Amino acid sequence: QTGRPVQTAAKERNRLSVCNKICYAIGGAPYQITGCALGFFLQIYLLDVAQLDPFYASIILFVGRAWDAITDPTVGFLVSRSPWTRFGRMLPWILISTPLAVLAYFLIWYVPPFEDGKVLWYLFFYCIFQTLQTCFHVPYSALTMFISSEQKERDSATAYRMTVEVLGTVLGTAVQGQIVGMANAPCLPGPEPVISLEHTKVAYMIASGVICLIYFLCAIVVFFGVREQKGKPMGFFQGIKLVMGHGPYAKLVMVFLFTSLAFMLLEGNFALFCSSTLGFRNDFQNILLVIMLSATLAIPFWQWFLTRFGKKTAVYVGTLSVVPFMILVVCLKSNLIVTYIVSFAAGVGLATAFLLPWSMLPDVVDDFQVQNPDSTGHEALFYSFYVFFTKFASGVSLGISTLSLE
């Protein structure tokens, strides 16, 4: 009889309020906002605004992404070895890395007044930012395991996080696209409007300033709004061995590796394609916004679809539905209305790339737990290695595609 009230009290203590969940979820926004801004705009910025040679631009994109991938398991290892503090194990990483990450991010979008070391400038600050952002994102991802010991509460908090992350992609595309787009759009009508390069440089810096402010505020909200519970994470190398040896996980990673590779290539080159090939220099930021908004709106549809027809069917239908529209936009003569329709359709397909990996990974983790009932604390490794492979592949692909387009 005394056992029941104790259990109830423990459950109450593990229950997260809506406010706790929202504070936790807000921490997912910085990664998505900066990721979208860099993914869609960095290539076009390095070529048009910083005026780098395409070869050097591809080197920066490739090395930056590859470096970002390598830092993930390294930071994961360091986080698992860091001592417990009165604020927790994960939260100090988030707080300390943020001011430096914000500064590095701002300097990526600043054109230095010298020519000789320009390539090194962008390479250095891009890699530094990726490292510092990893110091935020890896502990934040692992924090899921330490906000509550109740699986139901953790799942609920993750649902909140996914919602905020999708909104973060829209916000990142909107802030960067609309501010930069205002500088690109000519103020005076005329046959050949001249857009000052200085205006464009200032617009990129204003956009990065706004994103830096959002990043900083999100980190503050997570630090003061989330209470981390004490727990022992699994040994890093022991975890790698277990995770990588699990067959269903290896298959899932391979499938989504190629899907995300296709979408990463699309993301990296679409702004360039719209402005240079199709000639929609004044509209490309709105086209990008249509993609992200349609992806956001399509998520509830795909959620219904996968519960009705199963996750595998959703993968097949969602991924393949994009293909005809991609072929259409390349084959047809430059047409703004067709481009908007294609962008909307691409966004609907993109939603499956957002939703399905994060919907199927928990199933693989559950399967792992059934087969290995004695091992605990490995969940964060499943997620961090999925991110690692995706980032590495995207770095290689974007580097090769920029080199090919030289």
Side-chain angles (χ1 to χ4, degrees):
Q1 284 212 326
T2 52
R4 288 289 291 276
V6 172
Q7 275 185 327
T8 312
K11 269 200 167 180
E12 284 299 320
R13 199 167 60 247
N14 279 317
R15 186 162 288 157
L16 298 170
S17 67
V18 172
C19 181
N20 285 144
K21 289 172 189 174
I22 291 169
C23 288
Y24 166 73
I26 282 169
Y31 181 74
Q32 297 299 339
I33 293 170
T34 55
C36 252
L38 289 166
F40 280 129
F41 292 93
L42 186 61
Q43 186 186 53
I44 206 165
Y45 166 80
L46 292 174
L47 296 171
D48 286 6
V49 183
Q51 297 188 334
L52 296 183
D53 182 89
F55 172 75
Y56 292 121
S58 66
I59 293 293
I60 290 165
L61 291 167
F62 167 65
V63 174
R65 291 282 184 111
W67 174 258
D68 184 24
I70 293 160
T71 56
D72 262 57
T74 313
V75 170
F77 172 70
L78 294 171
V79 167
S80 67
R81 288 297 181 93
S82 57
W84 178 266
T85 69
R86 68 193 183 97
F87 300 110
R89 180 182 280 112
M90 309 296 167
L91 290 170
W93 281 84
I94 291 169
L95 187 72
I96 293 163
S97 66
T98 295
L100 299 168
V102 163
L103 180 64
Y105 181 80
F106 184 77
L107 291 171
I108 293 171
W109 303 101
Y110 171 72
V111 181
F114 47 80
E115 282 298 320
D116 287 349
K118 214 188 251 188
V119 175
L120 285 173
W121 170 282
Y122 289 114
L123 188 60
F124 176 75
F125 284 112
Y126 189 36
C127 289
I128 286 289
F129 170 70
Q130 299 285 25
T131 306
L132 291 163
Q133 192 190 40
T134 302
C135 292
F136 178 108
H137 195 248
V138 168
Y140 173 74
S141 299
L143 192 61
T144 317
M145 304 309 301
F146 304 107
I147 51 173
S148 172
S149 57
E150 289 289 319
Q151 185 64 45
K152 196 177 165 194
E153 292 297 307
R154 294 202 298 250
D155 289 347
S156 173
T158 303
Y160 275 80
R161 175 189 161 184
M162 285 301 134
T163 309
V164 171
E165 286 195 1
V166 173
L167 292 172
T169 60
V170 176
L171 188 61
T173 312
V175 168
Q176 187 85 9
Q178 296 306 311
I179 294 173
V180 170
M182 281 193 280
N184 280 344
C187 301
L188 297 167
E192 271 300 312
V194 178
I195 301 152
S196 156
L197 183 62
E198 289 306 312
H199 274 114
T200 313
K201 284 179 185 176
V202 170
Y204 271 104
M205 284 173 69
I206 292 168
S208 74
V210 171
I211 287 172
C212 285
L213 184 65
I214 296 168
Y215 192 119
F216 191 78
L217 290 173
C218 290
I220 295 295
V221 168
V222 172
F223 188 78
F224 290 106
V226 176
R227 197 171 78 249
E228 186 182 338
Q229 295 184 2
K230 200 162 187 175
K232 177 102 178 76
M234 181 189 253
F236 186 71
F237 293 108
Q238 183 195 356
I240 293 174
K241 207 170 156 189
L242 271 172
V243 166
M244 299 315 292
H246 189 56
Y249 177 71
K251 286 173 198 163
L252 188 73
V253 167
M254 285 305 287
V255 170
F256 283 111
L257 188 65
F258 290 107
T259 312
S260 57
L261 204 56
F263 283 113
M264 292 275 188
L265 276 170
L266 179 64
E267 180 190 68
N269 293 313
F270 202 69
L272 201 64
F273 177 72
C274 286
S275 60
S276 301
T277 310
L278 300 179
F280 304 136
R281 186 164 282 278
N282 300 333
D283 295 284
F284 80 88
Q285 70 278 0
N286 299 326
I287 294 166
L288 294 179
L289 198 54
V290 166
I291 294 177
M292 301 320 294
L293 279 170
S294 76
T296 309
L297 296 171
I299 282 181
F301 164 74
W302 288 115
Q303 187 66 47
W304 167 82
F305 189 96
L306 67 86
T307 50
R308 181 84 173 74
F309 300 104
K311 292 179 184 179
K312 280 188 180 180
T313 314
V315 173
Y316 300 142
V317 175
T319 316
L320 294 174
S321 65
V322 183
V323 177
F325 293 100
M326 290 292 106
I327 295 167
L328 188 70
V329 80
V330 177
C331 293
L332 280 184
K333 199 170 179 290
S334 176
N335 182 320
L336 190 59
I337 294 163
V338 171
T339 309
Y340 272 116
I341 293 166
V342 168
S343 302
F344 185 85
V348 172
L350 184 66
T352 59
F354 262 130
L355 180 70
L356 285 158
W358 303 109
S359 181
M360 290 172 92
L361 271 169
D363 300 343
V364 173
V365 176
D366 285 344
D367 180 60
F368 178 85
Q369 281 175 329
V370 170
Q371 291 185 29
N372 303 275
D374 299 330
S375 68
T376 54
H378 52 265
E379 287 88 343
L381 284 169
F382 277 101
Y383 291 91
S384 67
F385 272 93
Y386 170 74
V387 173
F388 163 74
F389 287 119
T390 311
K391 280 179 177 178
F392 195 78
S394 74
V396 174
S397 66
L398 208 53
I400 291 168
S401 76
T402 311
L403 268 177
S404 313
L405 293 168
E406 184 181 350

